[in-house]
């Protein structure tokens, strides 16, 4: 176990690093915003703006993490094992594939929304490896998918929302229903479905609402166009949510016994 002084030093370093990244992100966002929001903006300009916004969000996360660690310096940090990292990487790749190759684009004026399978693997990851790493898998995988497709300007919003989906699913699954220890199949099934519904219900509300304000006040999209996108986005988000709840629940209930027999279930929780 690390000593309290060492923990405090690491927490301070984390917070300072967050401040630096936040400053760079804000500077980049302000300097690239005019070019990225222009009507004839190039994809490279939009990507630079999106990466700056992601840097801003990452900086805030690091600052909060550093402050939390300063406050709870006496608590021992949980070790992240190789299985968790491997599974998180696998699910990040699956989230990327689920969005990039298994989607139907719906044009909405100059913007787009889509039916896709990316959320399926974000929710499944949260059930199998916990909320934080599941959310990070979804956030990283689907943010990369945005940055490499026509959805580049949505990347910052995607990162935050997918992380939140994972955290909510993991919280309900492991703190409310204790799925990692549950042996009764009926309670396991109910807990799985409710956990998936909780994460997707959040997304059904948050995605169009956050998307509207993000497009209007960050990207400079006219309010009427943003409203139309939000309405269409609400439809696609709801359909994606239903698909994610059904598929993730079925996959989890099917995979769980095999993982448990192989002795991997406890290692990846």
């Amino acid at each position: 176990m690390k000593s309290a002084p060492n923990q405090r030093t690491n927490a301070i370093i984390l917070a300072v690093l967050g401040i630096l990244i936040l400053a760079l992100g804000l500077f980049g966002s302000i300097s690239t915003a005019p070019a990225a929001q222009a009507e004839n903006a190039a994809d490279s300009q939009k990507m630079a703006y999106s990466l700056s916004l992601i840097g801003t969000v990452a900086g805030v996360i690091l600052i909060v993490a550093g402050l939390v660690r300063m406050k709870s310096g006496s608590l021992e940090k949980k070790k992240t094992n190789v299985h968790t990292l491997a599974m998180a990487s696998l699910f990040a790749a699956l989230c990327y594939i689920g969005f990039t190759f298994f989607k139907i684009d719906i044009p909405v004026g100059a913007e787009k929304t889509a039916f896709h399978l990316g959320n399926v693997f974000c929710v499944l990851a949260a059930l199998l490896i916990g909320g934080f790493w599941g959310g990070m898998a979804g956030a990283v995988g689907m943010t990369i998918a945005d940055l490499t497709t026509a959805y580049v300007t949505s990347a910052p919003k995607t990162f935050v929302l997918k992380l939140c989906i994972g955290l909510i699913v993991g919280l309900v699954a492991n703190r409310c229903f204790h799925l990692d220890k549950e042996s009764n199949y009926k309670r396991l099934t109910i807990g799985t479905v409710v956990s998936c519904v909780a994460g997707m219900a959040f997304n059904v509300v948050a995605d169009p609402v956050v998307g509207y304000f993000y497009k209007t006040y960050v990207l400079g999209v006219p309010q009427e166009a943003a409203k139309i996108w939000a309405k269409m986005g609400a439809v696609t988000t709801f359909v994606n949510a239903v698909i994610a709840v059904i598929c993730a629940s079925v996959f989890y209930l099917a995979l769980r016994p095999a993982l448990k027999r192989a002795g991997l279930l406890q290692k990846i929780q």
Side-chain angles (χ1 to χ4, degrees):
M1 180 187 293
K2 294 180 180 179
S3 64
N6 287 337
Q7 286 182 337
R8 184 173 179 81
T9 300
N10 291 339
I12 293 173
I13 293 173
L14 193 63
V16 171
L17 180 62
I19 292 172
L20 292 174
I21 294 176
L22 175 61
L24 290 173
L26 288 173
F27 175 77
S29 300
I30 294 170
S31 60
T32 59
Q37 294 175 7
E39 187 175 347
N40 59 345
D43 287 342
S44 59
Q45 293 172 319
K46 293 179 180 179
M47 182 176 291
Y49 181 50
S50 297
L51 289 174
S52 298
L53 291 174
I54 291 173
T56 302
V57 173
V60 172
I61 292 174
L62 288 175
I63 292 170
V64 172
L67 293 175
V68 169
R69 288 190 66 180
M70 280 188 221
K71 187 175 181 180
S72 57
S74 60
L75 299 177
E76 183 178 5
K77 186 177 181 292
K78 290 184 178 180
K79 293 182 179 179
T80 302
N81 59 48
V82 173
H83 294 88
T84 303
L85 292 174
M87 292 292 284
S89 301
L90 171 64
F91 278 110
L94 289 173
C95 288
Y96 171 83
I97 293 170
F99 181 83
T100 304
F101 300 106
F102 295 93
K103 75 173 185 294
I104 301 173
D105 291 320
I106 309 294
V108 184
E111 300 293 322
K112 287 184 179 180
T113 184
F115 298 108
H116 63 85
L117 298 182
N119 289 336
V120 173
F121 301 105
C122 179
V123 174
L124 182 60
L127 290 171
L128 287 172
I129 59 178
F132 176 76
W133 286 108
M136 285 300 296
V140 171
M142 295 181 70
T143 296
I144 293 174
D146 279 352
L147 291 172
T148 54
T149 61
Y151 296 85
V152 59
T153 56
S154 297
K157 174 178 72 73
T158 295
F159 185 91
V160 174
L161 291 180
K162 302 315 172 188
L163 177 59
C164 290
I165 289 172
L167 292 173
I168 292 170
V169 173
L171 177 67
V172 177
N174 295 321
R175 296 295 178 88
C176 298
F177 289 97
H178 305 287
L179 293 187
D180 54 330
K181 301 175 183 177
E182 185 59 67
S183 57
N184 183 279
Y185 186 77
K186 183 178 180 180
R187 288 196 294 269
L188 179 65
T189 302
I190 293 173
T192 300
V193 173
V194 172
S195 300
C196 295
V197 169
M200 287 295 94
F202 160 80
N203 197 53
V204 167
V205 176
D207 192 271
V209 172
V210 173
Y212 170 77
F213 288 103
Y214 175 73
K215 289 182 180 296
T216 302
Y217 298 105
V218 177
L219 299 181
V221 175
Q223 287 190 347
E224 288 303 316
K227 285 180 181 178
I228 295 172
W229 178 91
K231 291 177 182 178
M232 191 61 202
V235 175
T236 57
T237 301
F238 178 77
V239 174
N240 291 336
V242 173
I243 294 172
V245 169
I246 295 173
C247 293
S249 298
V250 171
F251 290 161
Y252 177 74
L253 293 172
L255 288 172
R256 191 178 186 277
L259 291 171
K260 190 172 183 178
R261 285 195 299 270
L264 294 176
L265 187 63
Q266 294 303 318
K267 292 180 181 179
I268 61 177
Q269 289 293 345

